[in-house]
Amino acid sequence: MTDLQPVRGTRDLIGEDHRRFQHVIDTARRAAAGYGFEEWATPIFEDTRVFARTLGDTSDVVTKEMYTFTDRGGDSVTLRPEYTAGICRALVSNGLTQSLPQKIFAAGPMFRYERPQKGRYRQFHQIDAELIGVAEPLADAEVIALGWDILTALGVAKDTVLEINTLGDRESRERYRTALVEYFARAGDELSEDSRIRLERNPLRILDSKDPGDKKLVAFAPTIDEHLTESARTFYERLKDHLARFGVPFVENPRIVRGLDYYNHTAFEFVTTALGAQGTVMAGGRYDGLVEQMGGPPTPGVGWAAGIERLSLLLAEPPAAPRPVAIIPVGEAAEAAALDVLQSLRHAGIRAEMGYRGNLKRRMEQANKRHARVAVILGEAELARGVAQVKDLASGEQSELPLAELAARLA
Ligand code: ATP
Ligand code: MG
């Protein structure tokens, strides 16, 4: 076999790419822990109904992007295109609807059949936060504040704007739906074919259309504002108060509806201008009906997901490559004793490496190639005296240290 390449839309993460990726996850995980979130891992494939039932049969994800296949047992399964549905399934499957609230953090791969481009892949990865079981807008504010803190810790908050909107409660949406149908019906043929279907099945979805013609119509479409019920309006006002108190800056954007069907009340996106068309880095909202759709009791929930690849691209400074300590034995007898030193450093938590062959010069070259910060040179005479030559490879400075003190001095 020659020329085997990664499948279109997938990427290998190696070296700096992986360090950027891991830094995003580590940073998010730490911040989520501070808010009391616990990490879950759910399967990367689920019964197709988990997604088809809930994301909406007019959403782009369900109609065009899902990796769905029949397995050898004849069951239809789907590689997860998003986290929330699977997490709500897991909540119900594990009987956790009786132990609320649950604050869940997760990180892992997602799969969507999309046209690959910068910041858009077929296997991509998300960090995700879900707060399930709390109906108060404080929960919405908390998950958004967590998102903001993560973007801040990554140094990308300055390049992103938080846009929020409300989709209201059921009654607000019914009223709004009527207004939208009236407006878009007048557009007739000007609507894209997809949106003419949406008009019948889910007119709100037209607001999320990427078709240029639709976008022009959407610009003048009615907004939900004048259709909100009193309680939906109060909910939204309280969310904004909480965000202000948390010091999270936001702008209101009445066009944000989110691409999936299960949202109500809060919808939000963190967007950047730094990634071209792939401007949304983190997005989410409230989904009070979803757990029930999954077969559980009525349970409120709110959360977000963020694309790790997009966040990685935004990181200004790539995390530095780790720099080991290089152990360099000189002579055959020293080689065996050097293994003891090597292991004692490793067991003390120090990143330590030893070349597999070569004389002093060759091993020094290897140490430099691996960006070692320090070389510990062990000659037979030194070993007999229980000491080592320790050379700082940046400054070139060299000093003698007792072996017993090595770990403490190199830590
Ligand atoms: P877009 O409008 O860019 O297609 P979306 O609305 O489909 O995004 P969501 O379903 O809200 O995205 O997913 C949350 C986040 O996951 C996005 O904000 C983005 O950062 C990331 N994401 C979504 N699809 C992809 C993809 N194909 N490749 C890389 N990241 C993605
Ligand atoms: Mg999309």
Side-chain angles (χ1 to χ4, degrees), residues 60-118:
D60 278 356
V61 171
V62 171
T63 54
K64 300 177 190 152
E65 298 173 1
M66 288 208 309
Y67 276 93
T68 297
F69 60 97
T70 307
D71 71 10
R72 289 172 192 275
D75 294 323
S76 177
V77 297
T78 295
L79 302 185
R80 64 182 180 198
E82 61 110 41
Y83 257 127
T84 313
I87 286 176
C88 288
R89 195 275 307 141
L91 183 91
V92 175
S93 311
N94 291 278
L96 293 170
T97 53
Q98 301 307 314
S99 342
L100 299 173
Q102 291 283 336
K103 299 173 169 183
I104 303 134
F105 173 78
M110 298 293 148
F111 305 87
R112 296 184 192 179
Y113 193 80
E114 300 201 69
R115 198 165 66 76
Q117 50 201 294
K118 184 183 173 196

Side-chain angles (χ1 to χ4, degrees), residues 7 39 41 66 70 127 135 221 289 342 353:
V7 170
E39 192 156 348
M66 288 208 309
T70 307
I127 48 172
L342 178 67
E353 293 186 280

Side-chain angles (χ1 to χ4, degrees), residues 35 140-150 243 246 248 270 304:
Y35 279 73
D140 309 52
E142 266 197 342
V143 299
I144 293 173
L146 168 59
W148 174 251
D149 283 359
I150 291 169
L243 288 177
F246 284 150
V248 178
F270 287 90
W304 52 251

Side-chain angles (χ1 to χ4, degrees), residues 1-6:
M1 277 192 279
T2 54
D3 267 0
L4 276 181
Q5 295 299 316

Side-chain angles (χ1 to χ4, degrees), residues 60-61 65 81-82 110-115 117 119-127 208 210 258-260 263 269-270 277-284 304-311:
D60 278 356
V61 171
E65 298 173 1
E82 61 110 41
M110 298 293 148
F111 305 87
R112 296 184 192 179
Y113 193 80
E114 300 201 69
R115 198 165 66 76
Q117 50 201 294
R120 191 177 295 285
Y121 311 98
R122 289 181 175 174
Q123 174 174 337
F124 63 102
H125 300 77
Q126 286 183 339
I127 48 172
D208 203 39
K210 301 209 161 100
R258 308 293 310 119
L260 310 174
Y263 289 110
E269 296 187 350
F270 287 90
Q278 277 57 254
T280 309
V281 291
M282 180 181 279
W304 52 251
I308 299 177
E309 284 80 0
R310 293 188 194 175
L311 290 171

